[in-house]
Amino acid sequence: FAEPPAPDNDQYQWCSDLAKSVPGVTPAGCMAAALQPSDAKSVQGRVLPYRDLPPKSGTAKIKILVLGGIHGDELTSSTLVFDWIDRIERDDTEQIHWRMLPVVNPDGLLKRPATRMNARGVDLNRNFPTDNWEKDAPRYWIKYTNRDPRRYPGPSPLSEPESRWVHAEIEAFKPDLIVSVHAPFGVLDFDGPPPPPLRVGNLHLHQIGIYPGSLGNYGGIKKRVPVVTLELKHAAEAPESKEMNRMWD
């Protein structure tokens, strides 16, 4: 990444903190991504940043929303989103409007050790307003996860500021496609109406089903917006540059 301009002190501190946790991201690289603060904040008051990347010229033919770090201990998911921001700025000539949310769960990511859940112990990827959430989400958590605290769906749908932020971005941006980055199962998952892609880089299609409150269920099934879930192979070790290239291609 190129050196950023003179940094805003608050943003530079945010980037410095982030770079201590996210593999392959430096404070300078984070600053160069030119993230903008949204109006939303995490449970602990941290900024929830985003980056809009419209086409360099002309009108967008498709809008894509990309999310990383929804689970705080899946560190490489944020690595990939920062990598894509850099690639788009340097090389992208497609008529695509990208909106990047690289760190959806900063409280979980910056905790020592990092946690899947947010600061209130909620799995944000079980907190979206899917059909019959009030009945199905608590039942699934109790019956099928044995009250696993890592998968607690929360007291109600959209009870958390981070999931409310993602929900608001979907409503406002109206993406044609959602890409949600996770780790470390090493597969490509897909939810939504059209035929799924068979692979992205070395990740091959393996549809693992939907869960009450998950983004795939909410976006792909309820909203009928295709959701591609990239499950990277490692949660704390950045993919090799060769693999990053293959995934982007």
Side-chain angles (χ1 to χ4, degrees), residues 126 130 132-148 151-157 212-213:
R126 301 291 183 271
T130 53
N132 301 314
W133 188 100
E134 289 79 2
K135 176 185 175 183
D136 292 343
R139 178 177 174 270
Y140 186 93
W141 179 60
I142 293 166
K143 183 175 180 180
Y144 294 101
T145 79
N146 197 27
R147 299 179 187 266
D148 181 356
R151 289 165 175 79
Y152 174 54
S156 60

Side-chain angles (χ1 to χ4, degrees), residues 41-213:
K41 292 187 176 181
S42 70
V43 169
Q44 294 181 335
R46 291 186 171 95
V47 169
L48 298 175
Y50 72 100
R51 177 68 191 278
D52 253 344
L53 291 157
K56 291 181 171 61
S57 63
T59 303
K61 296 179 180 178
I62 186 173
K63 295 191 289 185
I64 304 177
L65 178 68
V66 182
L67 300 93
I70 194 168
H71 289 148
D73 58 356
E74 297 172 4
L75 306 172
T76 54
S77 65
S78 292
T79 304
L80 186 72
V81 181
F82 277 102
D83 178 74
W84 283 14
I85 291 172
D86 180 56
R87 290 174 188 269
I88 294 164
E89 286 195 309
R90 288 187 288 111
D91 302 323
D92 189 57
T93 58
E94 302 293 335
Q95 297 306 107
I96 299 173
H97 185 171
W98 300 86
R99 180 165 294 180
M100 306 297 216
L101 281 54
V103 188
V104 174
N105 181 9
D107 296 347
L109 187 151
L110 294 173
K111 191 174 180 179
R112 296 289 187 273
T115 63
R116 175 184 175 98
M117 309 81 69
N118 76 347
R120 280 203 283 252
V122 173
D123 180 347
L124 299 174
N125 203 33
R126 301 291 183 271
N127 195 238
F128 291 98
T130 53
D131 291 337
N132 301 314
W133 188 100
E134 289 79 2
K135 176 185 175 183
D136 292 343
R139 178 177 174 270
Y140 186 93
W141 179 60
I142 293 166
K143 183 175 180 180
Y144 294 101
T145 79
N146 197 27
R147 299 179 187 266
D148 181 356
R150 285 171 46 82
R151 289 165 175 79
Y152 174 54
S156 60
L158 299 181
S159 60
E160 308 308 301
E162 300 93 346
S163 55
R164 288 198 297 272
W165 176 52
V166 173
H167 180 266
E169 289 292 338
I170 293 172
E171 292 298 306
F173 187 54
K174 295 180 171 51
D176 301 292
L177 171 68
I178 298 171
V179 178
S180 183
V181 191
H182 288 263
F185 292 125
V187 299
L188 171 67
D189 193 12
F190 180 85
D191 300 290
L198 297 180
R199 70 183 182 93
V200 174
N202 285 338
L203 302 181
H204 292 268
L205 181 67
H206 178 71
Q207 290 177 273
I208 57 179
I210 58 172
Y211 303 94

